Amino acid sequence: MAGHSKWANIKRQKARVDAQKGKIFARLSRAIIIAARHGGGDPAGNFQLRSAIEKAKAAGIPSENIERAIAKGTGTLDSDAPLEAIRYEGYGPGGVAFLIEALTDNRNRTAADLRAAFNKQGGNLGETGCVGWMFEQWGIVTVAAPVDEEAFLEALLAADVETYEILEGVAEVRCPVPALETVSETLKAHGYTVLDTESRWISMNTVEITDEDTARRVLKLMDALENLDDIQSVATNVTMSDALMEAMYV
């Protein structure tokens, strides 16, 4: 998981300055729509939907908005246009790889917006597969950092996983995506507070940025991509020192 800690820290620092509540609501609502479309509208039998609803509630999305999103996903409420899940790939400043997941009702608009964001920071939107081979998709279960790490390891073994990292007051457990529900429920059964569950693209190799100007352009590109309405997630293989990362957010 080389570079994973650095990327997680970057994401957390960015989250502290992200106050665009409306965009967060739209993103979480779209995740509910897609989860309901793929697995049905009953949270009890649809772990992806249940997780999306939990995130939406934690973000303060009203219950009626959540119910409306479920209805759109199951087709019981008409929506303006169907949403399509698309993965985009490209290179940013310094040769940093970007893997982007989008939910869109207009793939031409989304591609144009992405291309403009890349071009502005000296990167380029590439063809499918140009960087995808550098990433693997894993399930990530985030729990409050354990007091007794040995006992925590025993709980992980009970869940049939043993890869984890502790950083900034939380522990992130990595598992195969299909095992997310099992791992989450096992950790809960052992008394741990599960803060989040998600599937995440993790880079298998990294590009270290040491130049401040390049680092700034990479982070500006991340911000620009994440601020697009259609974008659900952005993964990259960048890594940089804590000192350089902190300098970007002074």
Side-chain angles (χ1 to χ4, degrees):
M1 296 181 71
H4 176 45
S5 293
K6 297 293 186 187
W7 173 236
N9 285 337
I10 291 172
K11 296 291 283 185
R12 287 193 176 82
Q13 291 201 39
K14 282 164 56 56
R16 294 191 191 109
V17 297
D18 184 4
Q20 296 177 304
K21 194 171 184 179
K23 289 185 180 296
I24 294 173
F25 276 25
R27 190 168 296 167
L28 293 173
S29 294
R30 288 184 174 208
I32 291 173
I33 292 171
I34 291 296
R37 180 184 299 170
H38 289 169
D42 181 8
N46 184 342
F47 177 70
Q48 183 183 355
L49 176 60
R50 191 160 69 248
S51 298
I53 291 173
E54 289 174 357
K55 291 177 184 179
K57 288 182 175 178
I61 295 181
S63 296
E64 56 267 28
N65 292 40
I66 293 174
E67 292 170 1
R68 190 178 304 115
I70 294 173
K72 285 184 178 180
T74 56
T76 57
L77 180 68
D78 290 336
S79 57
D80 296 333
L83 293 173
E84 182 181 8
I86 308 176
R87 195 176 79 193
Y88 294 92
E89 305 173 30
Y91 285 98
V96 172
F98 280 80
L99 190 79
I100 304 144
E101 291 182 313
L103 292 175
T104 180
D105 57 3
N106 186 328
R107 60 164 59 206
N108 292 331
R109 179 197 64 224
T110 303
D113 289 344
L114 286 169
R115 190 170 290 108
F118 272 97
N119 290 344
K120 186 174 182 179
Q121 298 304 329
N124 63 283
L125 185 65
E127 298 294 330
T128 300
C130 69
V131 303
W133 58 272
M134 302 182 193
F135 295 82
E136 290 183 354
Q137 191 172 39
W138 289 88
I140 302 292
V141 180
T142 305
V143 302
V147 176
D148 184 341
E149 196 166 347
E150 186 174 337
F152 182 60
L153 183 56
E154 291 180 3
L156 293 182
L157 292 174
D160 201 28
V161 293
E162 52 185 276
T163 302
Y164 70 97
E165 288 186 298
I166 296 178
L167 41 109
E168 289 198 0
V170 300
E172 290 192 342
V173 179
R174 189 177 76 171
C175 66
V177 173
L180 266 172
E181 182 173 9
T182 299
V183 173
S184 175
E185 294 304 318
T186 300
L187 290 175
K188 287 179 182 178
H190 280 77
Y192 294 97
T193 301
V194 173
L195 304 174
D196 190 22
T197 59
E198 63 174 329
S199 60
R200 185 187 301 171
W201 290 99
I202 297 176
S203 60
M204 297 298 103
N205 56 54
T206 61
V207 171
E208 182 174 9
I209 298 298
T210 58
D211 174 69
E212 186 170 322
D213 178 65
T214 302
R216 196 174 301 279
R217 286 190 292 129
V218 168
L219 294 178
K220 281 184 178 180
L221 178 54
M222 288 183 198
D223 285 333
L225 294 173
E226 291 181 341
N227 286 337
L228 294 175
D229 290 340
D230 298 333
I231 304 309
Q232 290 295 108
S233 70
V234 178
T236 181
N237 67 342
V238 69
T239 184
M240 61 184 73
S241 70
D242 291 335
L244 181 58
M245 198 158 48
E246 289 169 6
M248 299 299 99
Y249 287 96
V250 172

